[in-house]
């Protein structure tokens, strides 16, 4: 065993002591003892390359000696050669074996040892003389926020508090800690609060594979600590809610192949939807229900409500006012006297086969027409504008006639200034004047006759882009625009509609007949596969066929 020697206290530099908190009362007693009796037990130091020495174990004695006698005090030391790993291990072990080191301080020190062992926890436990379970439970405290660890260091809270806090996010811990300290809540009180804040994993609608080993899974906490909330809970509400929202969106996305409208319903959406039924007190009638299938307000709902989270309700009407009117119309028609020879009405409750009530997962009804959704309307209007521009082309006589008509009907304001200025710049290779009439007139004068003609054409093109839809419809009808020259079935359109509506399209264009027996097999596949099949029917002529929903 090495014999102790003395070193000037000021020549001993601090080490990496895992202990951060020193009890003031006990330190005061030690300082008084050292003042009268000096240091009896030497501290452990290691030599450094620059000739100085670093403290490894004995910081309480060093602090007491410095307070009692100053930096010139001859400090008894044992000098031992050791590397960084040995120094840190000895410092931690020495503190654990001595006076009540806080578990949080042990956790920080143990984490450093694991780092020195290159992540090998078994070797770290062996070095510390701990069981693997003890090591893991201490390291789990590193899930605590800095303020919680500090509170445990200073004995402001108990180990049970910290173990409970460790299951929650650091933000949650920092919000709750001041309340616990100020109001003096015990471990049992904190446990009740955290149990109320946790989310049930059994009720989760998302894939819980990643939750098994998560630090916020209360089951993992129960295995690790003496104090934990009941198993089967997630203590990270933000993560839980984010995963729930992603699953709701994924469920909704999967329904959009079948329905034009899919909504996630939230608390407060009670009166924004109603189950579409043909008969019963709230039935619209069999014939009307078929017509409703093509409406853009017909679709499916995904529940975002706590008591039915993730449930799917198909066959929903999202225009409750319209639904009430249809129900009222059906009731009035039933009260009207029937002809003596009339058979039981097809829409009566005796013969109707429409589904009753909200049934999650009910089969999607077949569409009878392509819904004029906002997306389809936008596609249709864009087609009209593009086709009209191309059909007029460079027919300057027609261009002048249409421009005169546009101005005469008060539609000159519809000329899209931004579009026209862009065309000016492209045709004349110069930016048009912003506000100077003279400059604009000179620019137009300097343009070649061909460029002037092109500018007039550009003016009409920009007007076509700017007029409202009713006026555009008038122009298309007057011009007798032939859409068959400018449209044939494409992916862009099919992406806008449901698989059920694609069957309507296939019937209208004659694709179902051309596909024969393959038609049913194709529609058993995914929407992208159905689209690909509809656009690649062998020997089918797609030209000259325009859907009714696209006509003006």
């Amino acid at each position: 065993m090495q014999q102790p020697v003395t070193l000037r206290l000021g020549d001993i530099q601090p080490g990496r002591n895992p202990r951060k908190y020193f009890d003031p009362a006990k330190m005061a007693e030690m300082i008084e003892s050292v003042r009268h009796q000096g240091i009896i037990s030497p501290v452990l130091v290691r030599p450094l390359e620059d000739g100085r020495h670093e403290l490894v174990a004995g910081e309480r004695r060093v602090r007491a000696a410095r307070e009692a006698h100053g930096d010139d005090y001859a400090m008894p030391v044992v000098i031992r050669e050791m590397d960084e790993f040995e120094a840190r291990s000895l410092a931690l072990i020495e503190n654990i074996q001595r006076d009540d080191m806080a578990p949080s301080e042990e956790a920080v020190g143990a984490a450093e040892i694991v780092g020195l062992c290159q992540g090998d926890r078994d070797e770290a436990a062996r070095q510390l003389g701990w069981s693997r379970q003890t090591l893991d439970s201490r390291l789990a405290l590193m899930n605590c926020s800095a303020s919680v660890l500090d509170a445990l260091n200073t004995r402001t809270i108990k180990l049970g508090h910290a173990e409970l806090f460790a299951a929650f996010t650091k933000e949650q811990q920092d919000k709750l800690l001041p309340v616990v300290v100020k109001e003096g809540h015990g471990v049992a009180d904190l446990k009740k609060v955290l149990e109320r804040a946790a989310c049930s994993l059994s009720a989760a609608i998302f894939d819980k594979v990643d939750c098994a080993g998560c630090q916020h899974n209360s089951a993992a906490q129960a295995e690790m600590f003496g104090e934990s909330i009941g198993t089967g809970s997630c203590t990270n509400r933000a993560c839980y809610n984010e995963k729930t929202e992603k699953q709701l969106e994924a469920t909704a996305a999967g329904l959009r192949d079948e329905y034009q409208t899919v909504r996630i319903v939230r608390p407060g959406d009670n009166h924004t939807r109603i189950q579409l039924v043909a008969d019963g007190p709230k039935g619209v009638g069999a014939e009307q229900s078929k017509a409703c299938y093509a409406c853009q307000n017909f679709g499916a709902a995904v529940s975002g409500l706590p008591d039915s989270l993730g449930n799917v309700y198909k066959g929903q009407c999202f225009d409750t006012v319209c639904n009430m009117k249809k129900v009222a119309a059906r009731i009035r028609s039933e009260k009207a006297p029937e002809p003596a020879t009339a058979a039981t009405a097809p829409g009566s409750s005796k013969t109707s086969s429409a589904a009753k009530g909200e049934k999650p997962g009910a089969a999607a009804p077949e569409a009878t027409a392509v819904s004029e959704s906002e997306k389809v309307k936008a596609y249709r209007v864009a087609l009209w504008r593009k086709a009209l521009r191309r059909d007029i082309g460079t027919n300057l006589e027609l261009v002048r006639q249409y421009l005169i008509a546009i101005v005469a009907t008060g539609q000159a304001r519809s000329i899209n200034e931004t579009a026209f200025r862009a065309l000016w710049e492209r045709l004349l290779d110069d930016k048009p004047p912003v506000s100077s009439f003279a400059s604009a007139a000179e620019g137009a004068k300097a343009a070649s006759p061909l460029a002037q003609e092109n500018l007039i054409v550009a003016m009409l093109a920009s007007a076509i882009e700017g007029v409202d839809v009713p006026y555009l419809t008038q122009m298309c009808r007057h011009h007798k625009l032939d859409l068959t020259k400018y449209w044939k079935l494409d992916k862009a359109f099919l992406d806008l509609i449901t698989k059920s509506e694609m069957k309507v399209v296939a019937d209208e264009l004659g694709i179902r007949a051309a596909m024969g027996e393959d038609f049913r097999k194709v529609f058993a596949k995914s929407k992208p596969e159905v689209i690909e099949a509809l656009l690649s029917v062998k020997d089918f002529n797609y030209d000259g066929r325009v859907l009714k929903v696209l006509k003006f």
Side-chain angles (χ1 to χ4, degrees):
M1 181 177 178
Q2 292 174 297
Q3 294 297 314
V5 296
T6 60
L7 289 174
R8 179 179 174 275
L9 185 57
D11 293 333
I12 301 174
Q13 74 174 43
R16 294 173 179 81
N17 194 345
R19 186 188 295 272
K20 304 301 177 186
Y21 174 77
F22 299 87
D23 185 274
K26 292 181 179 179
M27 279 303 303
E29 291 177 2
M30 177 174 278
I31 291 169
E32 195 62 26
S33 173
V34 171
R35 184 174 281 118
H36 292 95
Q37 300 181 30
I39 296 295
I40 299 173
S41 298
V43 300
L44 180 63
V45 298
R46 68 171 183 139
L48 301 176
E49 292 182 356
D50 58 4
R52 295 180 299 163
H53 292 80
E54 180 185 74
L55 180 66
V56 175
E59 185 168 349
R60 294 175 76 248
R61 282 165 281 170
V62 167
R63 284 177 177 237
R66 182 173 286 110
E67 181 69 24
H69 302 293
D71 284 342
D72 290 329
Y73 179 72
M75 189 72 179
V77 301
V78 171
I79 302 174
R80 183 187 303 176
E81 293 280 352
M82 64 184 80
D83 58 23
E84 182 76 9
F85 179 86
E86 291 176 295
R88 291 196 183 194
S89 298
L90 279 171
L92 179 60
I93 294 167
E94 192 267 348
N95 276 281
I96 291 172
Q97 292 175 347
R98 288 181 179 270
D99 190 29
D100 63 339
M101 185 177 181
S104 46
E105 294 172 327
E106 293 178 353
V108 173
E112 292 185 4
I113 298 299
V114 171
L116 292 172
C117 290
Q118 297 181 324
D120 188 337
R121 293 196 175 195
D122 290 327
E123 175 60 21
R126 189 186 69 79
Q127 292 285 345
L128 294 168
W130 288 355
S131 68
R132 175 61 188 273
Q133 183 178 2
T134 299
L135 175 66
D136 288 342
S137 65
R138 283 294 179 265
L139 290 176
L141 286 176
M142 297 300 289
N143 293 331
C144 292
S145 69
S147 58
V148 169
L149 288 175
D150 186 62
L152 184 56
N153 284 350
T154 59
R155 281 60 171 180
T156 306
I157 60 173
K158 296 180 179 179
L159 174 60
H161 287 110
E163 289 179 338
L164 289 170
F165 274 130
F168 287 78
T169 66
K170 291 180 171 59
E171 291 77 13
Q172 290 171 315
Q173 296 176 46
D174 288 340
K175 286 181 181 178
L176 197 53
L177 176 63
V179 179
V180 171
V181 174
K182 181 179 179 180
E183 299 181 6
H185 290 298
V187 174
D189 294 333
L190 178 60
K191 188 173 183 178
K192 291 178 181 178
V193 171
L194 298 184
E195 283 176 341
R196 289 196 296 269
C199 304
S200 171
L201 283 171
S202 62
I205 61 173
F206 51 80
D207 188 341
K208 298 183 284 291
V209 172
D210 294 338
C211 300
C214 178
Q215 67 192 47
H216 300 299
N217 186 333
S218 61
Q221 293 291 311
E223 293 178 1
M224 198 72 66
F225 295 136
E227 287 293 346
S228 64
I229 64 174
T231 59
S233 296
C234 169
T235 57
N236 188 343
R237 182 172 290 275
C239 177
Y240 187 98
N241 289 344
E242 182 182 353
K243 288 185 175 181
T244 298
E245 284 301 313
K246 286 183 178 179
Q247 183 57 48
L248 289 174
E249 289 294 343
T251 302
L255 291 166
R256 292 192 175 100
D257 284 355
E258 300 177 63
Y259 292 96
Q260 192 68 48
T261 300
V262 180
R263 295 182 188 172
I264 299 173
V265 294
R266 313 283 185 182
D269 290 339
N270 312 52
H271 304 295
T272 62
R273 66 187 178 101
I274 189 169
Q275 185 75 25
L276 179 70
V277 292
D279 50 52
K282 297 182 180 180
V284 298
E287 293 304 315
Q288 179 58 51
S289 67
K290 291 179 181 178
C292 290
Y293 298 159
C295 176
Q296 63 178 330
N297 291 310
F298 176 78
V302 180
S303 176
L305 305 173
D307 58 347
S308 57
L309 193 64
N311 283 357
V312 173
Y313 298 97
K314 297 183 177 182
Q316 300 288 291
C317 171
F318 292 102
D319 188 341
T320 56
V321 174
C322 178
N323 186 272
M324 285 189 289
K325 291 178 180 178
K326 300 302 182 187
V327 172
R330 190 267 306 166
I331 293 173
R332 285 196 301 270
S333 68
E334 288 181 351
K335 288 182 178 179
E338 297 182 7
T341 57
T344 303
S348 70
S349 59
K350 293 181 181 180
T351 59
S352 173
S353 60
K356 296 181 180 180
E358 292 196 3
K359 294 184 179 180
E366 290 290 327
T368 56
V370 176
S371 171
E372 291 195 23
S373 66
E374 293 304 315
K375 292 182 291 186
V376 169
K377 288 179 181 177
Y379 178 96
R380 178 174 64 192
V381 170
L383 169 65
W384 293 350
R385 296 189 196 278
K386 181 179 180 181
L388 189 58
R389 289 197 312 269
R390 292 178 61 185
D391 208 60
I392 296 171
T394 56
N395 186 334
L396 195 59
E397 182 179 352
L398 198 58
V399 169
R400 289 194 179 106
Q401 291 175 15
Y402 284 5
L403 273 177
I404 292 171
I406 285 171
V407 175
T409 52
Q411 294 292 321
R413 65 183 182 279
S414 299
I415 296 175
N416 189 304
E417 178 189 350
T418 302
F420 180 73
R421 290 174 64 82
L423 290 167
W424 173 299
E425 185 173 352
R426 192 173 72 188
L427 290 169
L428 302 185
D429 196 25
D430 188 21
K431 290 186 177 181
V434 176
S435 58
S436 172
F437 173 81
S439 298
E442 289 300 321
K445 179 181 178 181
S448 67
L450 178 59
Q452 290 180 359
E453 290 180 3
N454 287 337
L455 282 172
I456 294 173
V457 174
M459 195 182 304
L460 179 64
S462 64
I464 291 172
E465 282 301 301
V467 295
D468 59 25
V469 176
Y471 196 88
L472 175 66
T473 305
Q474 289 184 50
M475 294 181 69
C476 291
R477 288 174 178 168
H478 172 80
H479 187 70
K480 296 182 176 58
L481 180 64
D482 184 2
L483 291 175
T484 61
K485 296 193 296 183
Y486 302 103
W487 186 86
K488 66 178 180 180
L489 189 64
D490 61 5
K491 182 178 183 298
F493 177 77
L494 292 176
D495 277 333
L496 304 179
I497 63 176
T498 66
K499 285 172 65 177
S500 182
E501 289 171 319
M502 289 180 199
K503 293 180 181 179
V504 176
V505 169
D507 285 333
E508 186 178 339
L509 299 183
I511 295 176
R512 185 197 288 259
M515 294 180 72
E517 293 297 322
D518 291 335
F519 186 79
R520 181 175 296 182
K521 297 177 184 177
V522 164
F523 271 83
K525 299 178 180 180
S526 67
K527 183 176 179 179
E529 291 174 308
V530 172
I531 292 175
E532 183 180 357
L534 290 178
L535 294 175
S536 56
V537 178
K538 188 177 180 180
D539 298 326
F540 182 77
N541 184 9
Y542 293 88
D543 295 327
R545 302 169 189 260
V546 177
L547 294 166
K548 288 183 289 186
V549 74
L550 297 179
K551 294 179 180 179
F552 41 84

